[in-house]
Amino acid sequence: MSAFALAKLPERALASAVVSIRLTAMPMRYSPAPGVVVEAIGYNGSIPGPVLRVAHGQRVAVEYVNQSSIQTGVHWHGMVLPNAMDGAVGVTQAPVSQGGRFIYAFAPDPPGTRWYHDHAGDLGVLRGLFGMFVVEDLRDEPADVECAVIFHDVPDFASVHAAMMGDSRAPMIDPMGSPEMRAMKPSDKMGDEVRYLAHCINGATYPKTKSLQVKVGDRVRLRILNASATQTRYVRLAGHRLRVTHADGNPVPSPMEFDALRIGVAERYDAWFEVRKPGAWLLQGLSSDPLAFQQAMVVYTEGMERAAPLSSPQSLEGVDYLTYEKLGGGFGSAVDERGVTARANYTLGGGAWDSPRWTLNGATWPNTAKIHVRRGDRVRVHFKNTTDMDHPMHLHGHVIRVVEIDGKPLAHPLDKDTSLVRSNGGTLTWIFDADSPAGRWLLHCHNEIHMMDGMMTEVDYV
Amino acid sequence: MLLHAVFALTVVVADVNTGAKLVAQNGCQSCHGVKFQGSAGFPPLYGIEHRRTRAQIIAALVSPTAPMPNYGFTEAQAGDVAEYLAGLDGGASQSQPIISIAPAHLVDYADVTVRFPGALPKTVTAIATMAMGNMPMKSPQVTFTASADRRVYKGRVSFSMSGAWTIHIVYDGKTIDRPIVVGQ
């Protein structure tokens, strides 16, 4: 069984109040697919890094060492923790350079599917510095089989640099029938896409991806993370619908079933299915890339490991996929703005051909307008997206509540830490409580290119 | 007295362009190589029609052996894919045009050479498209020029962007689609 299949935590692991973890960024040669070899960096020499697991209530002491030549820092994505532990290099800590060391000590909170990744502005995530962090909620419904499923892509670095300059010639590879493809207009100049050499699940490409063995009758929980630096991911398990119970690790208003999940960069969904008959099925990331098939892993019942697994078409035509609107129970009458004491509005802009600028209200980091809050404030943040790409906006150190999409209030707001703002005039509103430890918390687009090109600001506790 | 039986003959004509589309949509090149040259553990599909019968190819597509996934192809669809694969190196049939595309790694352009073993065409043109939602990307149309021996036509198709393009070669009202991958 692979390291990504999550067995029940042993009693012994739950007994200690503090879990000690050693994490080392190591340079490595990485071959995710036949004929593809890249110089990469992995935590403890593996891509993705180890799946970190603790029970909610335990503390961690992470001794982090950087053996690579880039500047690094570890961000604990989706955690509410002391500001100095947030890992945002240049904001909450100095970079950890080659040979450097940093101790991250905190109580992982809230429970759920979180992750950790580099956050130092040296393209660490694109080089392989990311992994899943599961904070077990012992109150959760138990699963018979549980598995971490990390979707990620291995970039061609020449195209990364071109995309940052806005003159990349790489195409969109979203699947046919996706909102990304449907939103394309003749005036779209592109220039911002990264070309990928390999599309992976848990470090490998099909058929080298690790399979997951299940039994008839099993209720299976997949903890799915989209760790791609730029690509929204569409995930489908052939022959099954997926029941979503958690979004970004947080319980959804009511669990709901879909044919496919639409997962923005950095988002996570906990998706369940029941095994009703013997078989072999592919869990796939769909795309229109000729290499699309690489991003697949087999789920099979015993005895079916040699069977040709059932696959899904690389298209979303007629497919019922997850949207915030569906997950939020449709639209309601009004946003509950009771108690809101601070407001901020951001227009997402930039991204012109040949331009290295992605902007918030026309400015790029560090000149963007900041949100100043007092502890105890309830903050409403409104985004309007004038660009031709969706933006996965992420706030460090808080759980945000998605309350409005495209001018319409969600019937049941969604608790998240990252949410996609639709392209071409789309809007989205968050409400969050400024009750995290005081400090400077970054708010940015999680598309690595857009963040590097300036689409970032911060929430500053005064 | 002769009993005349009427046979309803269903002639299934495999459609090479449907085959090309199925190959592109299902990501066959992920494992079998962008030029179908094969890769570690995966057989080359280029020239497969010389190594397997058509029936074997169809059977392999309809009832695959792992790690080859089951795409749910019908026999007709599998026939279309087989027809397309058979055409990669000019085809089993002597009358089909033989297409070669250079260079091996396509970036800005493709030099397309078409050899007509049978009837000579009046004109040969080509255009390349890439499906991008409601807006297909299109290359400028190119008119091919005939070489001295009149059987060989050449033309250069250029690309504005990398990705999964299809070159459509048109001659005498017929079209041959050839999916390619353009890098950068």
Side-chain angles (χ1 to χ4, degrees), chain A residues 391-455:
Chain A
H391 295 287
M393 301 305 293
H394 167 52
L395 175 60
H396 288 215
H398 296 75
V399 174
I400 51 106
R401 182 156 277 203
V402 177
V403 296
E404 171 272 336
I405 303 165
D406 295 340
K408 288 166 284 187
L410 277 182
H412 304 289
L414 299 175
D415 287 345
K416 296 184 94 299
D417 54 57
T418 310
S419 61
L420 283 165
V421 186
R422 186 179 62 80
S423 64
N424 301 307
T427 68
L428 189 127
T429 305
W430 294 346
I431 289 180
F432 71 89
D433 287 328
D435 53 6
S436 292
R440 298 172 63 195
W441 299 101
L442 286 178
L443 189 175
H444 61 87
C445 176
H446 217 287
N447 179 312
E448 188 85 4
I449 304 298
H450 303 170
M451 183 180 79
M452 295 296 291
D453 281 355
M455 193 175 265

Side-chain angles (χ1 to χ4, degrees), chain B residues 136-156:
Chain B
M137 307 281 301
K138 264 188 190 167
S139 74
Q141 191 183 47
V142 181
T143 302
F144 282 34
T145 50
S147 65
D149 83 352
R150 306 295 303 165
R151 295 211 166 271
V152 175
Y153 279 74
K154 287 180 186 227
R156 175 173 283 191

Side-chain angles (χ1 to χ4, degrees), chain A residues 158-276:
Chain A
S159 79
V160 171
H161 296 298
M164 279 163 55
M165 294 309 296
D167 59 4
S168 163
R169 293 172 63 240
M172 290 170 72
I173 55 170
D174 304 277
M176 301 311 291
S178 63
E180 287 79 4
M181 283 299 193
R182 287 171 188 272
M184 283 292 293
K185 301 186 303 295
S187 57
D188 287 354
K189 288 288 195 293
M190 312 282 295
D192 336 288
E193 300 287 335
V194 171
R195 181 173 179 77
Y196 290 103
L197 303 171
H199 304 293
C200 306
I201 296 179
N202 292 344
T205 54
Y206 186 78
K208 292 275 163 60
T209 40
K210 287 273 196 301
S211 302
L212 180 68
Q213 187 184 319
V214 294
K215 290 193 307 294
V216 173
D218 276 352
R219 284 165 314 136
V220 185
R221 179 187 200 161
L222 304 176
R223 294 181 182 266
I224 306 176
L225 157 66
N226 177 9
S228 175
T230 63
Q231 281 297 130
T232 295
R233 198 49 74 193
Y234 292 86
V235 173
R236 202 170 175 192
L237 175 62
H240 293 80
R241 279 165 61 88
L242 296 168
R243 183 168 61 97
V244 172
T245 57
H246 295 72
D248 295 351
N250 308 308
V252 298
S254 55
M256 206 164 280
E257 274 194 8
F258 303 96
D259 292 336
L261 310 183
R262 177 179 192 240
I263 312 182
V265 168
E267 288 187 308
R268 289 89 60 211
Y269 288 102
D270 287 31
W272 297 62
F273 64 94
E274 196 179 320
V275 184
R276 295 203 175 84

Side-chain angles (χ1 to χ4, degrees), chain A residues 34 156 158-160 162 168-172 176 181-191 193-195 206-208 282 287-294 305-314, chain B residues 23-31 33-34 39-40 42 63-72 105 107-109 130-135 137 158-165 180-184:
Chain A
D156 165 1
S159 79
V160 171
S168 163
R169 293 172 63 240
M172 290 170 72
M176 301 311 291
M181 283 299 193
R182 287 171 188 272
M184 283 292 293
K185 301 186 303 295
S187 57
D188 287 354
K189 288 288 195 293
M190 312 282 295
E193 300 287 335
V194 171
R195 181 173 179 77
Y206 186 78
K208 292 275 163 60
L282 282 175
S287 92
S288 56
D289 191 310
L291 298 178
F293 216 86
Q294 293 180 333
E305 49 270 62
R306 295 235 165 278
L310 191 66
S311 86
S312 306
Q314 304 281 350
Chain B
V23 165
Q25 280 173 355
N26 285 290
C28 304
Q29 289 145 296
S30 295
C31 295
V34 290
S39 64
F42 304 101
S63 313
T65 309
M68 170 91 173
N70 185 346
Y71 295 100
H105 181 65
V107 180
D108 293 317
Y109 62 87
M130 177 162 60
M132 298 277 282
N134 304 325
M135 183 205 69
M137 307 281 301
S158 21
F159 311 105
S160 53
M161 165 178 297
S162 68
W165 291 80
I180 51 154
V181 175
V182 176
Q184 62 173 205

Side-chain angles (χ1 to χ4, degrees), chain A residues 22-26 43-44 63-68 72 96-97 99-102:
Chain A
R22 287 183 66 110
L23 215 50
T24 305
M26 299 178 178
Y43 290 119
N44 299 0
E63 183 186 7
Y64 171 66
V65 175
N66 179 17
Q67 291 178 356
S68 80
T72 64
V96 182
S97 305
R101 187 168 162 277
F102 194 96

